[in-house]
Each structure stands twice: as C-alpha cells, then as structure tokens.
Amino acid sequence: MEAIKKLDRFSDISELGSELQFSIGDTGIIECSISVHGRKAIPNETKSLLQSGKLSVKKMPVSKFNELEQDYVCSCVLRVANELFSSLPETMVIITAEDLLLNTSTGHMEKAPILSVAISRDTLYQFNLYNIDPSDAMANFVHSMAFKKTAGFAPVERLDPAQFT
C-alpha cells in the first residue's frame, strides 16, 4: 500500500473524475475499487460538420452511448491494472468498477459495482493495448459484468479473492 501511495501513478486518473481505493485482504491479493463516473465522462451528443459548413449537434443514440461507456469502463480497469503491474511485483489484481445506477425499487441513484475482474499480469502483458477493444478484452479474464447495448450496465457481484488462492 505504501508503494502505491509513493509512486502516485494514479493522480491523472483522479483528475479525470475517477476515484480509486486500494485494499489487501487476507488472501494477499490487491483489490482496487474505481468509481468511474461514466455518465459524466461520455458526451450525450454527437457533433458533425455538414457540407454547408454548419455544425450539426444531435443527441447520441442510446446504444452508441452505452457502447462508449462500456469501452470507457473497461479501459479504466485495464489502465489501473497496467499501472499496478508496472509498479508492483503482483501476478494478479482484482479491480471493481463502480458507478451510480438507478435503483428501480427506490427510484434513487446508488453506487453499485458494474464490472469486477481478476486480471493476471501474464495475460495482460500479452495484449497489444493500442489495438484491443477494451470490452472484448474482458473475455480473457474471470470477470462479472452485466451489460446490454440497449440498457447499459446492471449491478453485479464483486469477485471474491478467495476463489483465486
């Protein structure tokens, strides 16, 4: 935990609106919770230049917005894992992305896990991170994610570090 604080590799992520919390449980596996604030990070409109030279502004289609949000969340998780592996000798980390979701039983927005993934160093380092689709890359790891293009993210359970020891 001291090494993570001293290296300060996550200050630019915090500047983008994401908050990180680290912990090490009984298993010795580093766990990270990241609040991604996806609704704030992804624009809800698209802009294009018309042939006349005028700017056209339209509401982004819901499915496109949701796909961009999924890629954003998955890329945040991959970025955090990459930074942790470049700083520490760990072979696996568990990262859980959280965001505000509508609780339909209360009508209130509540913080909930939307992606929980166990990332191994060996697998991550086999990727060409510049050419992958972050959402597709999750298939390479044990993960929990409930996502639909039309509805977006739904709450999921956090991965239990005990299953990896």
Side-chain angles (χ1 to χ4, degrees):
M1 297 307 294
E2 194 66 30
I4 292 170
K5 288 178 187 174
K6 283 190 186 259
L7 291 172
D8 193 31
R9 293 198 177 253
F10 302 102
S11 59
D12 59 337
I13 292 173
S14 297
E15 289 172 11
L16 295 173
S18 297
E19 301 159 9
L20 296 150
Q21 293 179 335
F22 298 94
S23 64
I24 301 174
D26 296 337
T27 61
I29 296 174
I30 292 179
E31 296 178 69
C32 175
S33 292
I34 176 171
S35 295
V36 291
H37 308 295
R39 297 270 172 209
K40 293 179 184 175
I42 308 298
N44 58 5
E45 58 188 23
T46 60
K47 297 177 182 177
S48 59
L49 190 60
L50 302 174
Q51 280 185 328
S52 64
K54 292 184 179 181
L55 181 66
S56 170
V57 179
K58 295 181 183 176
K59 184 172 175 15
M60 185 177 300
V62 171
S63 60
K64 179 66 175 171
F65 179 90
N66 289 338
E67 286 182 60
L68 288 172
E69 184 181 26
Q70 183 188 32
D71 281 342
Y72 167 73
V73 169
C74 294
S75 66
C76 286
V77 165
L78 291 171
R79 164 78 189 279
V80 169
N82 196 38
E83 292 293 345
L84 284 170
F85 290 142
S86 68
S87 307
L88 303 168
E90 303 300 314
T91 58
M92 175 183 286
V93 295
I94 295 177
I95 302 173
T96 301
E98 301 173 329
D99 205 350
L100 292 175
L101 295 178
L102 177 64
N103 180 334
T104 57
S105 65
T106 65
H108 295 286
M109 299 297 281
E110 297 177 2
K111 191 182 231 184
I114 57 174
L115 170 63
S116 191
V117 59
I119 299 180
S120 73
R121 174 189 296 269
D122 292 341
T123 304
L124 183 66
Y125 282 178
Q126 290 177 12
F127 295 165
N128 178 346
L129 292 175
Y130 295 105
N131 292 325
I132 64 168
D133 180 297
S135 302
D136 293 344
M138 293 300 112
N140 296 292
F141 306 107
V142 175
H143 71 285
S144 178
M145 175 171 55
F147 176 83
K148 294 180 182 172
K149 284 184 183 182
T150 56
F153 285 104
V156 297
E157 293 292 321
R158 292 174 177 272
L159 292 180
D160 181 3
Q163 76 185 76
F164 301 101
T165 56

